[in-house]
Amino acid sequence: MDEAELSQHVGAGKFSKEHSKAPIVVGVHKPRETKGKSLILNAHVDIVPTGPLDLWTHHPSDPVIEGDWLYGRGGADMLGGSAANLFALDALRSLGLQPAAEVTVQSVVEEESTGNGTLMTHLKGYTADAVLIPEPEEEMLVRANVGVLWFQIEVRGQPVHVREMGKGANAIDAIYRVITNLRELEETWNSQKASKSAHFRNEAHPINLNVGKIAGGDWASSVPAWCTIDCRIALYPGVSAASAAQQIESHVAAFAATDPYLKNTPPKMTFNGFFAEGYELPASGSAAEDCLASAHERATG
């Protein structure tokens, strides 16, 4: 990961102290004679936290096969796809065949947080006529996808002993008011779906705000002096990440100006991960899409 180079690109996610420093691995097959179209097979090996272990039937670090299913952390998203990329080339070799054009196999990190792993391979010059990313999508082609922003909001309170609570300001209570305000922006964006994207106008709720983490306070009998929330929100294809971020900042600032406490202690917002825009594939399709459809039909009927 080259932070300086990535940070110059409009599609890069924001770096934080949690950003992966793991290497990115790329292998390139060069044909004896190029006769076909080049292809990138891309997959990520980073996974998300397990959550409470007591919700798991088996320990998430112990792969277990039951019938046709493999259970284990990241097995579907997307270590299975990563293995499939390699097995496809192995299958050709076992038949004494090889691709008739350049094939690049990419194993990346940071897919779950910033997208910077795949972007870094692009900035290093790895390109092709088509890219296949075998994510677990129920054997469907994702023709359009929303963009994603990650951000953190911090509110500072005014700590006092709980017996004098009325003289202080509870940061946790205050941040719940901020969340309520963010929900209003979420609904405003969802109400715009018909004009924003033909692919999402029939989706019930295409723009989802997720308050994924909350932390705050230090002592049960002290009015909390701080609280943070970490959030993820979607944006429609065609909407720039920068403009969406500006809307969020402006919306929270306008609300804070009306809040008796927050108007003097405004929330602090930091964008700390995904800063990614959405995309739409052409409705007319492509040669790569036709090839994928033909292969899928031959393999599965």
Side-chain angles (χ1 to χ4, degrees), residues 150-181:
W150 273 18
F151 58 93
Q152 182 182 85
I153 296 178
E154 179 182 14
V155 168
R156 291 297 179 98
Q158 184 175 339
V160 296
H161 192 279
V162 69
R163 71 174 180 272
E164 299 175 335
M165 190 171 175
K167 297 179 180 180
N170 187 314
I172 295 176
D173 286 347
I175 215 158
Y176 273 103
R177 300 197 296 274
V178 174
I179 293 172
T180 299
N181 173 254

Side-chain angles (χ1 to χ4, degrees), residues 86-171:
L86 299 171
F87 276 53
L89 294 173
D90 270 357
L92 285 178
R93 176 173 288 185
S94 72
L95 297 172
L97 300 173
Q98 63 167 303
E102 184 172 285
V103 176
T104 302
V105 179
Q106 299 175 344
S107 177
V108 305
V109 293
E110 276 295 319
E111 188 275 348
E112 299 285 7
S113 307
T114 62
N116 284 347
T118 294
L119 178 57
M120 193 71 238
T121 66
H122 177 72
L123 295 177
K124 285 290 185 182
Y126 293 104
T127 60
D129 294 312
V131 181
L132 177 67
I133 306 176
E135 286 273 11
E137 294 293 348
E138 300 173 321
E139 303 198 7
M140 297 184 293
L141 175 71
V142 180
R143 185 170 297 286
N145 217 336
V146 293
V148 175
L149 293 178
W150 273 18
F151 58 93
Q152 182 182 85
I153 296 178
E154 179 182 14
V155 168
R156 291 297 179 98
Q158 184 175 339
V160 296
H161 192 279
V162 69
R163 71 174 180 272
E164 299 175 335
M165 190 171 175
K167 297 179 180 180
N170 187 314

Side-chain angles (χ1 to χ4, degrees), residues 213-266:
K213 291 171 62 178
I214 183 168
D218 301 290
W219 190 250
S221 290
S222 294
V223 173
W226 65 279
C227 186
T228 62
I229 53 172
D230 285 83
C231 303
R232 172 267 191 205
I233 195 168
L235 51 147
Y236 295 107
V239 175
S240 76
S243 67
Q246 179 61 50
Q247 287 184 60
I248 297 169
E249 288 180 318
S250 298
H251 194 79
V252 171
F255 163 72
T258 67
D259 185 272
Y261 174 71
L262 293 175
K263 67 181 179 182
N264 296 315
T265 312

Side-chain angles (χ1 to χ4, degrees), residues 27 31 42 47 77 80 99 143 150 152 156 168 175 185-186 208 220 228 241 283-284 294:
N42 174 285
I47 57 177
D77 187 10
R143 185 170 297 286
W150 273 18
Q152 182 182 85
R156 291 297 179 98
I175 215 158
L185 179 63
E186 176 189 28
N208 290 316
T228 62
S284 58
S294 174

Side-chain angles (χ1 to χ4, degrees), residues 267-288:
K268 177 185 176 183
M269 183 176 295
T270 306
F271 291 89
N272 60 350
F274 278 117
F275 209 74
E277 298 175 2
Y279 74 88
E280 294 176 316
L281 297 180
S284 58
S286 65

